[in-house]
Amino acid sequence: MDSHGQNEQRVVWTVVGTDIGPLLLAATQDGLVNVVFHATDAVRDRTLDRLASRLGTEPVEAPDSPLLAEAIRQVEAYFAGTRRDFDLPLDWSLISGFNRQVLRELASGVPYGSVVGYGDLAGRVGQPRAAQAVGVAMGSNPLPVVVPCHRVVESDGGIGGFGGGLETKRQLLALEGVLPEPLF
């Protein structure tokens, strides 16, 4: 508790090595709040500054934190091919409005090994003409992999964009059996 008797926000983070490179995982007492691709030192530093600004407290590196333990276990199991669904508390505080609505629908309604079109996802949240806005929501997803924006593709069969890079999207879709594994 802080000096005013309020629960002080605590943000903990760690970096986990995966087949798609290092992922930064950050959590609050409410749940996993951020997953960041390609967590090099520079990316990590920018992310931690942004989290401190948005959440009002300095994130603390805590790889052994109970707040992160289950997220680490599930991410590692996903990349090992032994987990298909994430069952984690999520802190949605970094996203709001339409974007949050779209991402919640994505998390609950697009299972492992399947894909959905931007327009189809827009229709699922009652905004069938908002395909481009769905693309913006995917680009602002603070919880990629766990909230599987890699499963959103173009209606014409194109892979679409991806904040983690197209090669990362291809790798995630191949892991889930949607795309063939690369030959080399």
Side-chain angles (χ1 to χ4, degrees):
M1 295 231 169
D2 66 15
S3 60
H4 303 292
Q6 300 294 315
N7 283 329
E8 191 173 325
Q9 174 77 293
R10 180 161 188 242
V11 181
V12 294
W13 67 274
T14 194
V15 174
V16 176
T18 72
D19 294 346
I20 59 168
L23 292 180
L24 183 143
L25 305 179
T28 68
Q29 63 267 19
D30 294 329
L32 191 65
V33 72
N34 208 193
V35 176
V36 179
F37 292 113
H38 315 298
T40 60
D41 290 347
V43 168
R44 181 198 66 216
D45 292 346
R46 281 193 308 273
T47 298
L48 297 175
D49 287 346
R50 185 180 50 78
L51 285 171
S53 173
R54 294 281 309 274
L55 299 174
T57 188
E58 277 301 314
V60 175
E61 185 174 14
D64 297 326
S65 169
L67 296 174
L68 289 169
E70 186 61 17
I72 293 167
R73 191 183 72 69
Q74 288 189 29
V75 165
E76 288 174 343
Y78 172 81
F79 283 102
T82 59
R83 173 169 280 281
R84 291 176 165 231
D85 301 307
F86 291 94
D87 183 21
L88 295 168
L90 301 177
D91 178 340
W92 294 94
S93 64
L94 295 178
I95 195 131
S96 61
F98 178 79
N99 291 355
R100 183 187 289 189
Q101 182 184 9
V102 168
L103 291 172
R104 283 182 179 259
E105 174 59 31
L106 175 63
S108 65
V110 182
Y112 182 97
S114 66
V115 294
V116 66
Y118 292 93
D120 293 335
L121 190 54
R124 289 186 187 192
V125 297
Q127 301 291 327
R129 294 182 170 188
Q132 285 185 319
V134 166
V136 171
M138 296 306 104
S140 65
N141 181 4
L143 296 161
V145 180
V146 175
V147 176
C149 52
H150 59 277
R151 296 180 190 154
V152 183
V153 297
E154 296 174 345
S155 59
D156 65 3
I159 196 169
F162 194 61
L166 292 181
E167 183 55 32
T168 299
K169 186 171 187 172
R170 284 186 189 95
Q171 288 177 292
L172 291 168
L173 291 172
L175 173 70
E176 295 188 10
V178 175
L179 292 177
E181 290 285 343
L183 296 175
F184 45 85

